[in-house]
Amino acid sequence: MGSPTRVSDINYQLTSVSQGVWGWGVNLHFLHIRRIDVPALIRYPARSSPAQLSHHHSTYRLASLLSTCTAVFLVFFWLCTRRDPQAVIDYDWIPMINLAVLFGLLLLPLRRIAVAHSGRSRLLWMLRRISVGGLAEVKDGKFADILLADALTSYAKVLADLFVCLCMFFFDGPNGSATARPDRACGGDILVPLIMAVPSAIRLRQCLIEYVRVRRAQFRDPSVGWGGQHLANATKYATAFPVIILATMLRNSAKVDSDGDGSPGLYRAWVLACLVNSLYSFYWDVAKDWDLTLFSDERAAPDHPYGLRRRLLVHKPVVYYVVIAMDLLLRLTWTVKLSATMDRIADFESSIFLLQFLEVFRRWVWIFFRVETE
């Protein structure tokens, strides 16, 4: 049964949806100020008339609609439950309706709702393409597919927790509730890990598609290279799978272990897998996605700040150094589980939400510099 002070896990996830839309709006707005034409980079149609809302203002309107919807449902939920633990369980249908409305507004191309209609239609079209790891050609918006698929990797935990809430609401028996303390065993020991692995699998397949395209192009123009960077990028996404598999095995081992400690060997393997995934991903962020020289022999070249590059469009050098440090720190948030005290704190729903929020925030910052590199 949920405690009387809990907002409920599903309400945490709902805020992440509007958070992502607000973040994209800020990305578009700031980069527009910096004279970086994001719509052109993602092959999004330009505005046909100056009277039309700019892309970022249109995104802000959609984000406002989503946030208002969530706020109304959340206030209604609080008024109905009034800090009563049983009421929190009984009124779980309120956030479920909120979830359905949010995704309807976000994904369905409803023409009568004149808020980013064309953008939502395009988003739905892109989601259909990348859902199986598809990747458009450059002229059709390949970069947009990559950005969206990368964003989904940061939402993997959010998507898994939403599935858990839906599973508890529909399939957890007569006493099941989407607002009870999350039962992450709901749906079995396979579906939740699979959902968390899907975004990484999507990006892995996209990298392999790029590799095949480069290999084909090499027959016409040997100067394009053999595509090794795409294989290395695919390997980065593949390192997420051992983390998910070992975490699942460790959780199952702890269930049957009388001491509740699981297997020490599995634990050490999980730590190693997390470390490899985090450090490899951090290296790729800095060296490849942001095209900085911190890990190359050119880091101290005289024509650019140490470890950066000659052209810096987003901000001053100090901001890049802060973002590099922040990216490493947020890539390593899983280390809170290495401390017995911090591990218990990380099990609270508010702490889980904070970690998810920080990952979405990290991805939001990453987009600024990834778009700049493109």
Side-chain angles (χ1 to χ4, degrees):
M1 181 179 295
S3 70
T5 58
R6 288 190 64 230
V7 178
S8 87
D9 188 62
I10 190 170
N11 284 319
Y12 287 139
Q13 313 313 322
L14 293 174
T15 61
S16 297
V17 176
S18 54
Q19 174 196 352
V21 181
W22 278 112
W24 177 239
V26 175
N27 287 139
L28 293 173
H29 195 174
F30 180 84
L31 292 169
H32 171 75
I33 293 173
R34 293 290 177 178
R35 300 183 182 279
I36 297 176
D37 190 353
V38 180
L41 286 174
I42 63 176
R43 300 302 190 269
Y44 190 84
R47 294 302 192 225
S48 57
S49 167
Q52 287 184 293
L53 284 176
S54 62
H55 294 92
H56 55 271
H57 281 116
S58 181
T59 305
Y60 286 152
R61 284 184 60 179
L62 176 58
S64 299
L65 179 61
L66 296 175
S67 297
T68 301
C69 178
T70 298
V72 169
F73 275 100
L74 190 56
V75 170
F76 182 51
F77 180 74
W78 283 339
L79 291 175
C80 291
T81 57
R82 296 183 180 277
R83 300 173 60 86
D84 179 1
Q86 186 57 47
V88 170
I89 303 297
D90 295 339
Y91 284 92
D92 64 338
W93 53 270
I94 297 177
M96 293 302 294
I97 293 177
N98 186 12
L99 175 64
V101 171
L102 279 188
F103 278 92
L105 292 174
L106 187 63
L107 298 178
L108 298 180
L110 305 173
R111 293 186 178 275
R112 292 188 178 183
I113 302 177
V115 181
H117 168 261
S118 59
R120 287 181 293 121
S121 299
R122 184 180 175 87
L123 174 62
L124 187 60
W125 176 51
M126 290 169 56
L127 283 173
R128 288 173 179 167
R129 181 169 58 231
I130 72 168
S131 62
V132 292
L135 184 67
E137 297 286 350
V138 174
K139 62 182 177 58
D140 298 320
K142 182 187 81 169
F143 184 50
D145 284 2
I146 291 174
L147 285 182
L148 180 57
D150 267 320
L152 287 179
T153 63
S154 292
Y155 272 88
K157 188 67 169 62
V158 174
L159 294 173
D161 278 356
L162 280 175
F163 170 80
V164 169
C165 292
L166 289 169
C167 176
M168 291 168 61
F169 184 77
F170 289 108
F171 305 111
D172 211 15
N175 297 320
S177 173
T179 49
R181 185 165 296 280
D183 176 13
R184 291 185 170 84
C186 188
D189 297 323
I190 297 178
L191 286 178
V192 172
L194 275 178
I195 291 171
M196 293 187 64
V198 163
S200 294
I202 288 173
R203 279 297 288 129
L204 186 149
R205 185 168 186 266
Q206 288 181 335
C207 293
L208 295 179
I209 289 173
E210 288 195 271
Y211 169 73
V212 171
R213 288 176 181 174
V214 170
R215 295 290 291 176
R216 289 173 178 170
Q218 188 183 34
F219 290 106
R220 299 187 299 271
D221 182 8
S223 66
V224 301
W226 66 280
Q229 179 166 312
H230 299 304
L231 288 182
N233 199 14
T235 302
K236 181 194 76 173
Y237 292 103
T239 62
F241 302 143
V243 175
I244 296 170
I245 293 170
L246 290 169
T248 303
M249 294 173 63
L250 194 60
R251 187 163 52 250
N252 292 338
S253 176
K255 291 178 184 177
V256 300
D257 192 330
S258 58
D259 297 327
D261 295 328
S263 167
L266 277 178
Y267 180 76
R268 287 192 289 269
W270 173 78
V271 171
L272 178 61
C274 288
L275 195 62
V276 169
N277 174 255
S278 298
L279 295 182
Y280 192 175
S281 299
F282 168 69
Y283 162 78
W284 201 271
D285 287 343
V286 174
K288 305 299 182 180
D289 289 340
W290 298 342
D291 198 26
L292 304 180
T293 60
L294 184 63
F295 299 113
S296 74
D297 295 335
E298 301 176 1
R299 69 177 68 90
D303 64 338
H304 60 70
Y306 181 85
L308 305 183
R309 49 177 148 73
R310 186 172 59 84
R311 294 191 67 196
L312 303 176
L313 304 178
V314 171
H315 224 288
K316 298 177 180 178
V318 65
V319 173
Y320 288 76
Y321 295 130
V322 170
V323 167
I324 290 171
M326 183 203 69
D327 189 71
L328 177 60
L329 181 65
L330 295 184
R331 284 285 188 187
L332 295 173
T333 52
W334 57 270
T335 56
V336 299
K337 290 184 173 292
L338 301 184
S339 164
T341 301
M342 295 300 292
D343 186 29
R344 287 194 295 271
I345 293 175
D347 284 335
F348 295 136
E349 296 310 312
S350 56
S351 301
I352 292 173
F353 169 71
L354 176 61
L355 293 178
Q356 292 174 356
F357 173 85
L358 290 174
E359 171 57 21
V360 174
F361 173 78
R362 186 197 65 78
R363 180 64 62 185
W364 172 68
V365 174
W366 174 92
I367 287 175
F368 287 111
F369 300 92
R370 179 65 183 90
V371 170
E372 176 197 27
T373 303
E374 190 73 11

